[in-house]
Amino acid sequence: MPGFKEKLKKEVTSTVMKQCGVNSVYFRGHARRSEGLNGFEELRKYIKQGSEFCKEVSLIIQERADLEGHYAKSLHKLSQKLVKATTGNLGSLADGWRTVGSVMEQEAELHKNLSMALADDISKPLKSLVETQNKARKPIEATVDKSLKTLTDRRTEEFKVCTVLLSMLKAFINCLSFVFRSVQLKAQVKTQLKAQLKAQVKAQLKAQLKAPLKAHVKAQLKVQLKAQLKAQLKAQLRVQLKAQLKAQLKAQLKAQLKAQSKKQTYVHAKDCEKGEEHRNDSSKGKTEKDKQKIEKKCDQMRKLLKKADKDYCELCEKAETARQEWEFNVAKGSAQLQTLDEDRLAKMADYLNQYNSHLSVMGPRLQTSCDKLHESVISVDIQADLRAVAQQRGTQGTPPEQILLDCYAEDLQFTMNGERRKNALQNYLLYLRQSLEREKKGKEGVEKLVGVYKERPNFADQDAQEDARQRLCQVMFMMNFLEASHYKIASVLAKLECQPKLEHKFAKYIETQRDKQGIPTSVLRLPINIALEGNSGYDVTSVTVGALANQTQSDPYEEPFADDEFEDYGDNHVIGRCRALYDYDAGQGDELTIKYGDVINIYDKQMDGWWQGEFNGRVGIFPATYVEEI
């Protein structure tokens, strides 16, 4: 028993050591295949990363092109607005801003060209390059993946056959071990029984001859105890051997599953030879029946091992063919992918140079535009512009358009009774004369106020002086309006009465047009210098003598005209009070004479700048600029 245990332990240890050697070789070969696969996978990963980078660059350049195009359109609109705003403006300042619009237009054109160049020369070719390389890369990767799948399938089949071979070898080893153990145990039991019987016989003879019954009983008990201990030891050894064999066979199976196929075959062959040796050794001194049983079992296992070896060799050849094809496809695919990536890198470098060239052109052109703008800016002369504007306003100023009074009776195209037409025209002339006389009074008052401001500049601030001058201009424009309207109506009346044609210096500046309904519209366009003269030489009184002679005739349009139209103010009521700042002497019967410091009750504030008021029982009108409210 101890010899069998030590021998079996040495055999198992030797097998495990050999399997460990085979495993190391197997794993080194697997590492080499993984290294080749990982190299291709690293290249594929790098190619894919480069393709994604190329695609991202294409999108970014396209966004830049869109931004440049949008910026160019917006800049073009702004330049058009600026050029339109400067239209009609004179001077170097307007020319400077006009140059700004021109520079903006040039810059918009530059950005437009840059947008088109980025899109056509870089973004679209990059996108096309990515699509082309993706189409070319897919069949290469598919070929490599297909060859890798074929190699994996062959290795899987090889592993399955190897597993079957190991299981058969395991059964063969178990068979030999069982036979070997059975023969040894049988011989050991026979030897032990002989020794026991011999010992028992000797003990019995000794007990019968020399020892009393007590000694004989002790000897029997001792023998029985020895037999029981041997039986227990035998059972324990059997259990331990079974457990050790089971564990060792499991370890062998695990190690053999990981071993390389060629080395495993060598190990199996050696184990088989060792089993044959055990079989030959165990057959010595055995019966013929035991030898036949062992030989039969060994023949069956030998046939199965031979068939498994043949299948294993065929699968190894197929696996080697698949490996060579895989390595060829990996090398070919790597070369093709490398060529594609070299092409991509070359084109990317070319596109980068194009981008640089497009942007480098922008700088000098923008600098040229900036130089042009700088020349326009330094040539601006504000004082010259002001002089030019003043000269233009004095020579080519747009005359104000005053729409004159047009009455129905004035238009001879409309049918109307002759007497009624004359009476209506005369009444209009009287109204206009009254208004002219009132405006003349207002003009005199404003002129006095302006004269006071000139003599005493510190009497009022600049705004008050400017208001007075503006008021004087308004009065002059109103008098021009009234005189032109009066002249136009008086001319029609003179034509009806067959009198000589009237003359007025405003005549050539009066234009009459008719709308779609035939209603006339008369417009007075006086130059600024004539409009502000203030003395047309037109005698309103001489023109309206006939109208005054017929004043007593009844007419629905006629109103009596009196020198003093403010004699009765019994219904007036006071709306405020004011104090006179200057002396004013009444020039007409309806005016009120005031002195500095007089407190006047205000009845009405007229829109023409004259107020109606009462002082010491006298009611009349006075200029509003001569008083201040209190």
Side-chain angles (χ1 to χ4, degrees), residues 21 25 45 138 142 171 177 232 254 272 281 309 348 373 386 408 424 426-427 488 515 521 525 535 583:
V25 174
K45 183 178 179 182
K138 286 182 179 179
S177 300
Q232 290 177 356
K254 289 182 180 179
C272 184
D281 294 338
D309 288 339
M348 286 285 288
L373 180 61
L386 292 176
Y408 182 83
Q426 290 173 357
N427 286 328
K488 186 166 63 71
D515 58 10
T521 300
R525 293 186 177 90
N535 185 15
D583 296 341

Side-chain angles (χ1 to χ4, degrees), residues 32-91:
R32 284 196 296 272
R33 290 197 301 273
S34 299
E35 182 180 357
L37 180 61
N38 290 334
F40 181 78
E41 289 297 329
E42 289 294 330
L43 181 59
R44 177 191 289 183
K45 183 178 179 182
Y46 176 74
I47 295 294
K48 185 177 180 181
Q49 184 178 1
S51 178
E52 293 294 332
F53 170 69
C54 190
K55 183 178 179 181
E56 194 69 22
V57 170
S58 174
L59 294 176
I60 292 172
I61 296 299
Q62 184 61 44
E63 290 182 5
R64 172 69 187 274
D66 295 339
L67 288 176
E68 291 289 344
H70 181 70
Y71 178 69
K73 291 180 181 179
S74 302
L75 203 59
H76 175 68
K77 291 180 180 178
L78 292 178
S79 66
Q80 289 182 338
K81 289 182 179 179
L82 185 56
V83 171
K84 184 178 179 181
T86 56
T87 303
N89 293 288
L90 301 177

Side-chain angles (χ1 to χ4, degrees), residues 381-536:
D381 189 351
I382 302 298
Q383 298 301 325
D385 292 348
L386 292 176
R387 288 193 297 270
V389 172
Q391 184 179 3
Q392 183 190 19
R393 291 182 61 186
T395 57
Q396 301 179 357
T398 303
E401 295 184 357
Q402 294 178 280
I403 300 177
L404 302 180
L405 188 147
D406 292 304
C407 60
Y408 182 83
E410 178 186 1
D411 192 353
L412 299 180
Q413 292 184 3
F414 297 141
T415 304
M416 187 176 182
N417 183 268
E419 291 299 325
R420 284 200 300 273
R421 188 188 295 273
K422 291 180 181 180
N423 290 334
L425 294 175
Q426 290 173 357
N427 286 328
Y428 275 113
L429 292 175
L430 291 175
Y431 299 151
L432 292 174
R433 176 185 174 183
Q434 180 182 358
S435 298
L436 274 170
E437 291 177 351
R438 181 174 299 175
E439 290 298 327
K440 286 181 180 180
K441 295 176 183 179
K443 178 183 176 184
E444 292 173 359
V446 176
E447 287 177 344
K448 291 180 181 180
L449 182 60
V450 172
V452 172
Y453 287 156
K454 287 183 179 180
E455 294 175 359
R456 302 167 61 185
N458 297 329
F459 185 78
D461 57 7
Q462 188 67 27
D463 293 338
Q465 296 178 17
E466 185 64 28
D467 290 341
R469 287 191 291 271
Q470 185 66 26
R471 176 61 183 163
L472 182 60
C473 293
Q474 292 177 357
V475 171
M476 289 181 179
F477 279 111
M478 179 58 70
M479 291 181 66
N480 293 337
F481 167 78
L482 294 174
E483 281 189 15
S485 299
H486 191 280
Y487 162 75
K488 186 166 63 71
I489 295 175
S491 298
V492 176
L493 183 60
K495 185 177 180 180
L496 291 175
E497 294 178 350
C498 299
Q499 295 181 1
K501 184 178 180 180
L502 300 178
E503 298 293 336
H504 199 289
K505 66 178 182 179
F506 293 170
K508 60 181 179 180
Y509 301 110
I510 298 176
E511 299 178 2
T512 303
Q513 297 178 352
R514 294 181 181 272
D515 58 10
K516 295 181 180 180
Q517 288 78 21
I519 299 176
T521 300
S522 300
V523 179
L524 175 64
R525 293 186 177 90
L526 288 177
I528 298 297
N529 55 347
I530 298 177
L532 297 179
E533 283 182 356
N535 185 15
S536 63

